[in-house]
Amino acid sequence: MSKYLKTIRKNKLELPNKYIVTNAAQLIENMTPLHITNNNKLVSFDIKGLYPSIPTTETMDILFRILLGKTEKKIAKDIINTLKTTINQNYFRFNNKIYRQINGLGMGNPISALLTEVFMQSLEEKYMEHFTTNLGVSFYARYVDDIICIITGDKEEQILYYLNEQHKNIAFTMDTI
């Protein structure tokens, strides 16, 4: 069922993907026109345990709002209900024991990548203006749970603090490059 829902998503959902890069070549292409000075720093952020950290109820609400703009309310409700069924059945095997994952999204579930993107893109929309206007971020790109930024000045600790204040489930770490 998750595979089928993922196919529907590819044909209907069309997420904006403003800050997403899909590979190193795209990252280089996006960074090539930038004017980087001695006052700029390259900073990398990582999201700890991304899939298990995604708040599923909140993500379903975000997705429902997106779907309402693209389809009928009944169809949107049916898709959300079906998704809830598939993500609430996250079972995995470890040391020959079967467990049920109760938080977040399952890493092997085909629909998890889509739902992660829905949530992360919504979260990014909330913090990007503050990033660029107040924290000196001149470039931002994310590949799944890895983020690369070009910043001006010494605000990397402020940025990390700000990122970690955005959602109680999502925790960031930082490396300066």
Side-chain angles (χ1 to χ4, degrees):
M1 189 168 301
S2 288
K3 286 181 185 179
Y4 176 71
L5 288 169
K6 185 178 175 184
T7 320
I8 291 174
R9 185 282 303 177
K10 283 188 175 183
N11 298 330
K12 304 269 185 207
L13 198 54
E14 300 172 12
L15 294 173
N17 297 325
K18 283 192 216 176
Y19 309 108
I20 306 302
V21 291
T22 55
N23 55 46
Q26 185 183 10
L27 178 63
I28 291 168
E29 181 181 321
N30 292 356
M31 293 180 81
T32 298
L34 300 175
H35 178 71
I36 299 173
T37 68
N38 289 338
N39 197 27
N40 293 128
K41 287 183 182 175
L42 202 54
V43 183
S44 168
F45 298 95
D46 184 69
I47 303 168
K48 293 193 259 183
L50 179 60
Y51 281 20
S53 301
I54 298 296
T56 56
T57 301
E58 189 175 339
T59 303
M60 291 297 122
D61 292 343
I62 295 165
L63 182 57
F64 183 68
R65 287 191 302 272
I66 293 169
L67 289 170
L68 283 177
K70 298 181 182 291
T71 190
E72 298 171 29
K73 187 174 184 178
K74 182 187 179 338
I75 293 171
K77 281 183 177 182
D78 288 346
I79 291 170
I80 293 300
N81 288 335
T82 305
L83 278 169
K84 285 179 181 178
T85 300
T86 63
I87 65 171
N88 287 329
Q89 295 180 16
N90 281 329
Y91 295 94
F92 62 94
R93 178 183 281 175
F94 180 73
N95 285 340
N96 290 325
K97 289 185 180 180
I98 295 176
Y99 297 90
R100 181 174 172 258
Q101 182 174 333
I102 55 173
N103 293 318
L105 300 170
M107 290 177 53
N109 190 330
I111 202 72
S112 292
L114 162 73
L115 296 175
T116 297
E117 279 307 312
V118 166
F119 176 78
M120 286 305 300
Q121 287 185 29
S122 174
L123 188 64
E124 286 167 335
E125 286 300 319
K126 291 176 186 173
Y127 65 67
M128 284 310 292
E129 184 177 341
H130 185 72
F131 259 30
T132 56
T133 57
N134 300 324
L135 295 175
V137 174
S138 59
F139 178 81
Y140 176 101
R142 179 174 53 83
Y143 176 75
V144 187
D145 64 347
D146 297 314
I147 298 166
I148 190 163
C149 293
I150 296 176
I151 65 168
T152 303
D154 295 320
K155 295 187 177 183
E156 58 268 26
E157 291 294 333
Q158 282 178 273
I159 293 168
L160 178 63
Y161 178 80
Y162 183 75
L163 281 170
N164 282 318
E165 291 294 309
Q166 297 311 299
H167 198 280
K168 64 181 179 161
N169 290 26
I170 307 297
F172 294 83
T173 61
M174 176 184 67
D175 287 315
T176 50
I177 302 170

